[in-house]
Amino acid sequence: MVIKPKVRGFICTNAHPTGCLTSVKEQISYVKTQGDLSVKPKNVLVIGCSTGYGLASRITAAFSGGAKTLGICFEKPPSEKRTGTAGWYNTAAFHQQAKAAGLYAKSINGDAFSHQIKAQTIETIKQDLGKIDLVIYSLASPRRTDPDTGEAYVSTLKPVGEPVTSKTFDVNKKVVHEISLEPANQDEIDNTIKVMGGEDWELWIKELNNAGVLADNCITTSYTYIGKELTQPIYGRATIGKAKEDLDRASAALKQDYAKIGLKAYVTSLKAVVTQASSAIPVMPLYISLMYQVMKDEGVHEGVIEQIYGLFETLLLAETPAMDEANRLRMDGVETNDDIQGKIKAIWPTVTTENFAELGDYKGYNQDFLKLFGFEFEGVDYDTDVDPLVEW
Ligand code: NAD
């Protein structure tokens, strides 16, 4: 099958296996050039391991730390007629590379919110790993079924309190325009917290601990985005921000509840980057394009793998890492500093459809977006027939 990108709105509905392999290899090569981590995790569970920040976490743990990794993801396998999802091919690529490097890797494909997948994970840990010393929680999902009640919850991307009007970039029509978003009602806020808040992270830790598979002094982190004035109306102070606030509650509760085993539970704030999750958030494509341009001009741009390698090496695994006033680990300091934000804010009011390509890095944004699905990689021949049926 010759595979060309099929972009529908903010998603690409197919993926290229060779491109995804190239993407994983590039990330592995980056962490290898950075060298071994000073503190190495041994047995790492990555929940949301197949794309974005979770995949980068898995690659860093394995290829800079020599860790055995068990990954959980929710991806579609390929068929004769349809390609698999990018996360499917990334996971296959990760397995292939890990095997070649003599590294243990197993992945479980299914709904991480369910009791069944948690139980299957625990069985695998007991059989293969004994205990886990690092749990990365990197799920991004628009829906969650409560495993006890069976009730399905859907998250919403809306402001809270007041309506918001903001500039945005329509990736379909390729125009810069104003959008007005009505505030969420209480149900929508509560449902977003139910999906993207800390409840499932706490459930994972509870079930892992009850099964006796968490090592003493185990570390766990979930990922958040805080942002500044330009994104706060639609992110930090919006429904998704409320869910992220709930992660702060959960990390404090986890530390307290599992003090006996010395659990260290952090929320880590990461830089905004192009991923499948961030592409779906209004205003983010515009903000990220301008921020990329400013950060590239300043020579301080970072993608997922640079952020995560930096996190593992400087904060996450350290005995006593620097934390902010809310006990979070911060990897977003450069993006959110006044100088960078001031430069983005200066450009923001002047951006129009006509000058967007010049003022912002939409080219870089779009290329990164296509790369998420294995397209746009140099050295991959996209006119060649490839077999979509890749297994792991
Ligand atoms: P992503 O869409 O690239 O990855 C999501 C992962 O979750 C995938 O591995 C997917 O398979 C998995 N997943 C989704 N639903 C699942 C389910 N029901 N069961 C099992 N696996 C499931 O997202 P991302 O952008 O890497 O986001 C990861 C975390 O990082 C999120 O908490 C996000 O808020 C946070 N974050 C993202 C950004 C950003 O700019 N992208 C910035 C800061 C923080």
Side-chain angles (χ1 to χ4, degrees):
M1 173 190 293
V2 172
I3 306 168
K4 305 272 173 166
K6 285 187 197 155
V7 178
R8 306 272 178 273
F10 52 76
I11 195 79
C12 179
T13 60
N14 60 352
H16 199 285
T18 321
C20 290
L21 173 62
T22 308
S23 164
V24 168
K25 278 184 175 171
E26 281 187 2
Q27 292 192 51
I28 292 172
S29 157
Y30 173 80
V31 298
K32 280 189 170 168
T33 59
Q34 299 304 300
D36 280 359
L37 295 170
S38 312
V39 182
K40 296 185 184 64
K42 286 192 192 73
N43 296 326
V44 181
L45 172 63
V46 184
I47 304 159
C49 67
S50 53
T51 55
Y53 275 127
L55 174 62
S57 305
R58 187 177 200 181
I59 288 173
T60 303
F63 288 92
S64 270
K68 296 180 178 179
T69 61
L70 174 58
I72 316 299
C73 58
F74 207 9
E75 301 294 344
K76 276 212 184 81
S79 66
E80 296 282 347
K81 289 203 178 115
R82 285 178 71 96
T83 73
T85 51
W88 178 275
Y89 292 134
N90 289 339
T91 306
F94 180 86
H95 277 246
Q96 187 211 78
Q97 295 297 302
K99 193 174 174 198
L103 291 163
Y104 170 98
K106 262 193 194 169
S107 304
I108 296 173
N109 191 36
D111 183 6
F113 297 127
S114 68
H115 287 311
Q116 189 217 333
I117 291 297
K118 290 182 177 77
Q120 203 179 323
T121 304
I122 287 165
E123 263 327 291
T124 309
I125 297 170
K126 282 184 175 167
Q127 267 172 24
D128 297 358
L129 303 170
K131 288 188 190 241
I132 291 290
D133 51 20
L134 177 61
V135 180
I136 302 291
Y137 189 85
S138 188
L139 289 188
S141 173
R143 65 189 69 83
R144 170 174 173 229
T145 300
D146 184 300
D148 295 320
T149 64
E151 201 172 325
Y153 295 87
V154 178
S155 67
T156 313
L157 294 163
K158 284 189 181 178
V160 168
E162 300 285 315
V164 163
T165 301
S166 172
K167 244 182 201 179
T168 192
F169 179 70
D170 184 323
V171 289
N172 262 330
K173 297 184 188 142
K174 310 267 182 287
V175 291
V176 175
H177 67 113
E178 296 255 301
I179 44 160
S180 292
L181 298 162
E182 285 304 308
N185 61 36
Q186 195 56 47
D187 262 3
E188 290 172 319
I189 298 170
D190 293 344
N191 292 353
T192 308
I193 296 172
K194 190 86 185 167
V195 178
M196 285 296 284
E199 191 175 273
D200 182 60
W201 183 26
E202 288 178 285
L203 271 177
W204 267 100
I205 297 297
K206 183 177 166 193
E207 295 196 18
L208 292 165
N209 183 64
N210 285 350
V213 296
L214 290 182
D216 281 349
N217 304 314
C218 176
I219 298 172
T220 184
T221 187
S222 63
Y223 294 145
T224 191
Y225 179 70
I226 296 173
K228 276 277 172 95
E229 288 101 300
L230 290 170
T231 54
Q232 275 175 349
I234 185 59
Y235 200 106
R237 290 198 302 271
T239 45
I240 179 74
K242 293 288 161 203
K244 294 299 186 183
E245 272 172 26
D246 190 58
L247 294 179
D248 295 330
R249 176 205 57 75
S251 77
L254 286 172
K255 252 180 271 179
Q256 201 178 339
D257 294 351
Y258 302 96
K260 233 177 161 177
I261 60 159
L263 181 80
K264 294 181 185 173
Y266 305 109
V267 173
T268 300
S269 184
L270 296 163
K271 173 183 184 279
V273 287
V274 184
T275 65
Q276 294 187 42
S278 67
S279 310
I281 304 173
V283 184
M284 283 314 244
L286 177 65
Y287 170 76
I288 292 177
S289 301
L290 298 186
M291 182 262 287
Y292 272 24
Q293 185 66 53
V294 170
M295 290 186 78
K296 284 180 184 177
D297 287 348
E298 298 290 315
V300 291
H301 173 71
E302 286 187 332
V304 283
I305 195 69
E306 291 86 356
Q307 278 275 295
I308 294 296
Y309 180 86
L311 169 68
F312 275 56
E313 181 56 15
T314 62
L315 294 172
L316 184 61
L317 304 168
E319 197 57 46
T320 47
M323 287 190 268
D324 72 5
E325 68 295 342
N327 288 324
R328 300 185 205 102
L329 305 179
R330 299 295 293 258
M331 286 301 295
D332 57 350
V334 181
E335 175 194 343
T336 57
N337 79 30
D338 290 345
D339 181 42
I340 298 289
Q341 288 296 312
K343 289 191 166 111
I344 307 170
K345 272 197 267 180
I347 308 170
W348 191 271
T350 66
V351 179
T352 60
T353 303
E354 291 69 36
N355 65 20
F356 181 44
E358 199 185 313
L359 295 179
D361 182 29
Y362 181 62
K363 193 164 165 256
Y365 179 93
N366 197 42
Q367 193 176 42
D368 277 10
F369 174 78
L370 290 168
K371 281 185 165 180
L372 297 176
F373 305 93
F375 299 104
E376 289 274 313
F377 282 95
E378 259 178 49
V380 177
D381 182 354
Y382 292 102
D383 293 317
T384 301
D385 243 342
V386 275
D387 184 359
L389 295 175
V390 177
E391 294 299 325
W392 76 58

